[in-house]
Amino acid sequence: ISSQDENAADFTVSASIPTTMGTNGTGGTIVESNCFLLGSGLSGDSAEAVDLFIQYCTQADTMQEYMTEIGLAFPAHEDTASIELSPILEGAAEGIDYVIFQPLISSTSSVQVELATMVLNYVVNGMSADEAIDSYITEAEYYINQ
């Protein structure tokens, strides 16, 4: 978003899901992850090349610009913990403590968008928690049942 408008942090709001919501009131949520798809059964030079590639891609120096300017990402492991978050994510940063694992399944992306909409409806648009949840369930069920 910053690449499209350098002032995006001035008018963009983020917030973590209140711990009374999400995963039966535990505050649990999912965060989309970008994953590498790699071949199995690699050995020798191929295995070493993949290992070096992943090490390069996940080191703090490589990830800094991506995580603050391009991908708006949270640190994924200790080596990236020192990376400064994008100002756009500052409001949602505490929610990282409640992230739960979910396999990356492409058909869930619409449901994830509706989850983000639910949070915005509650945090920004003034909907009550019950109204936001009910709206999310209605919209998510539409996509789940397609």
Side-chain angles (χ1 to χ4, degrees):
I1 188 170
S2 297
S3 65
Q4 301 302 311
D5 188 330
E6 64 186 36
N7 299 313
D10 297 335
F11 60 83
T12 305
V13 176
S14 66
S16 59
I17 293 178
T19 55
T20 55
M21 299 172 74
T23 319
N24 299 317
T26 63
T29 187
I30 55 173
V31 174
E32 182 177 338
S33 65
N34 295 299
C35 304
F36 294 118
L37 297 177
L38 305 172
S40 63
L42 299 176
S43 61
D45 291 343
S46 296
E48 183 179 357
V50 168
D51 182 52
L52 291 171
F53 173 73
I54 292 172
Q55 287 181 48
Y56 169 76
C57 290
T58 59
Q59 66 187 9
D61 290 347
T62 305
M63 294 297 295
Q64 177 66 67
E65 181 181 11
Y66 176 82
M67 290 175 62
T68 56
E69 301 294 333
I70 301 167
L72 300 183
F74 291 105
H77 53 77
E78 280 185 25
D79 292 342
T80 58
S82 63
I83 292 178
E84 182 181 336
L85 288 180
S86 165
I88 294 169
L89 289 176
E90 287 176 3
E94 69 184 40
I96 201 71
D97 295 333
Y98 301 100
V99 170
I100 56 175
F101 173 77
Q102 176 188 355
L104 185 61
I105 301 169
S106 60
S107 62
T108 63
S109 63
S110 294
V111 174
Q112 292 173 347
V113 168
E114 293 304 329
L115 177 64
T117 301
M118 177 197 69
V119 172
L120 288 173
N121 281 336
Y122 177 76
V123 174
V124 178
N125 296 333
M127 270 190 181
S128 71
D130 289 339
E131 289 173 321
I133 291 169
D134 289 344
S135 176
Y136 166 69
I137 290 170
T138 300
E139 296 299 322
E141 282 179 342
Y142 168 79
Y143 292 109
I144 291 168
N145 293 322
Q146 282 188 337

